[in-house]
Amino acid sequence: ADLNRGKDLYEANCQTCHKLAKPNSESENAWNHIVPEMVEKTNRKAGKQVLDANGEQLILRYLITMSK
């Protein structure tokens, strides 16, 4: 259920600014740097908190799990 929620959050939020990257296009280490930066950028662009820490973790878990 968490992976599905992470996938849904990833698809709903990340493709608003750019094409979605395949999870295996980056390493776990890279995703751990990219996702927090993109969550911050998303929230700043929206002028409010669109994604909280839990949403960020769900996206990370989805991307890291699916990258293997």
Side-chain angles (χ1 to χ4, degrees):
D2 282 348
L3 287 180
N4 286 331
R5 182 71 180 129
K7 180 181 183 212
D8 291 344
L9 288 170
Y10 176 63
E11 291 175 348
N13 291 284
C14 301
Q15 70 181 353
T16 61
C17 295
H18 54 79
K19 292 177 83 174
L20 294 177
K22 292 184 180 185
N24 65 359
S25 68
E26 300 291 346
S27 68
E28 179 176 345
N29 190 44
W31 285 127
N32 281 313
H33 290 289
I34 294 167
V35 172
E37 290 176 5
M38 292 297 104
V39 166
E40 182 180 330
K41 188 174 183 178
T42 297
N43 289 337
R44 189 173 53 245
K45 184 177 177 182
K48 62 181 180 176
Q49 187 175 30
V50 175
L51 290 166
D52 60 11
N54 184 56
E56 180 178 317
Q57 287 304 307
L58 288 169
I59 292 170
L60 269 172
R61 272 190 237 135
Y62 164 71
L63 290 170
I64 290 168
T65 299
M66 299 309 289
S67 71
K68 297 177 181 178

